Amino acid sequence: MSYRSLSFIPNFNDHNVFSNRFNQIDKMFSTLTGEKPISDTPTYNLCQINEIEYQLTLSIPGYQEKELDISVHNNQLSIQGKKENSDTQEYNKWLHKGIVFNNFSLNFNLDHKIKVKKAELSLGLLKLDFECNIPEEEKPKKISINVPNDTKKIDKK
């Protein structure tokens, strides 16, 4: 039996044809409407380390610690990235500009038993370590079956 109290919003960035098509359609509609694409939010991995420890890793290359804000309020984890002026160098003409630093905001609902232990930024990856401590009274319990020992013995003669 597996008890899971993590409730992270699912992401469409699986390695399959659907997610690639979704990203392409999302970007096409955002170009037409002027809205920010949903797929511009950073991709992430969620890994279970052991029974109580989990790790969330976000891919945010180019962001510095001072451009990130991580907070937990009312069991809601909020991760925001606000890029300071990335075009500090003036260029005469962009021939291609594929690296875009958009501001982002990700929110995750956390169960009250989940605590963020630490956050670390290294090589463009933001890693958050979580601990999920389930109180003993909330863990599933195995109920043993007792057989009464009052059956009469039959004497064989």
Side-chain angles (χ1 to χ4, degrees):
M1 176 185 271
S2 177
Y3 184 87
R4 294 179 189 252
S5 58
L6 282 175
S7 175
F8 284 93
I9 299 167
N11 194 348
F12 295 105
N13 290 332
D14 294 324
H15 298 290
N16 61 29
V17 175
F18 172 74
S19 69
N20 190 31
R21 292 287 184 233
F22 174 80
N23 290 343
Q24 290 173 353
I25 292 169
D26 182 36
K27 288 181 181 179
M28 181 181 70
F29 279 114
S30 66
T31 302
L32 293 172
T33 63
E35 295 288 322
K36 181 180 174 188
I38 295 171
S39 58
D40 273 357
T41 58
T43 56
Y44 64 88
N45 292 336
L46 178 61
C47 177
Q48 182 175 6
I49 311 267
N50 57 39
E51 294 246 342
I52 63 169
E53 295 178 318
Y54 296 82
Q55 186 175 73
L56 175 69
T57 304
L58 280 81
S59 176
I60 52 171
Y63 285 85
Q64 298 175 25
E65 179 185 349
K66 64 183 178 181
E67 298 168 326
L68 300 171
D69 181 48
I70 305 169
S71 62
V72 177
H73 182 67
N74 292 333
N75 295 333
Q76 175 117 15
L77 170 65
S78 176
I79 304 169
Q80 296 180 345
K82 188 170 186 177
K83 195 70 177 156
E84 294 179 1
N85 191 3
S86 61
D87 290 333
T88 55
Q89 298 177 352
E90 293 295 323
Y91 295 103
N92 291 334
K93 181 178 171 183
W94 284 102
L95 299 177
H96 176 75
K97 188 174 181 183
I99 301 173
V100 180
F101 296 107
N102 291 325
N103 295 339
F104 69 87
S105 179
L106 287 173
N107 295 302
F108 300 96
N109 292 319
L110 300 178
D111 190 283
H112 71 281
K113 301 167 204 74
I114 299 172
K115 304 293 180 227
V116 181
K117 290 178 15 181
K118 71 175 183 176
E120 180 181 287
L121 179 64
S122 176
L123 300 173
L125 297 175
L126 176 65
K127 294 183 181 181
L128 288 98
D129 291 335
F130 299 91
E131 189 171 87
C132 180
N133 287 317
I134 303 169
E136 282 300 317
E137 61 270 8
E138 292 184 27
K139 289 183 181 178
K141 291 186 178 41
K142 179 89 172 162
I143 307 297
S144 61
I145 301 171
N146 293 324
V147 177
N149 200 6
D150 61 348
T151 58
K152 295 180 180 178
K153 294 183 182 178
I154 300 174
D155 291 332
K156 294 183 181 180
K157 292 186 184 182

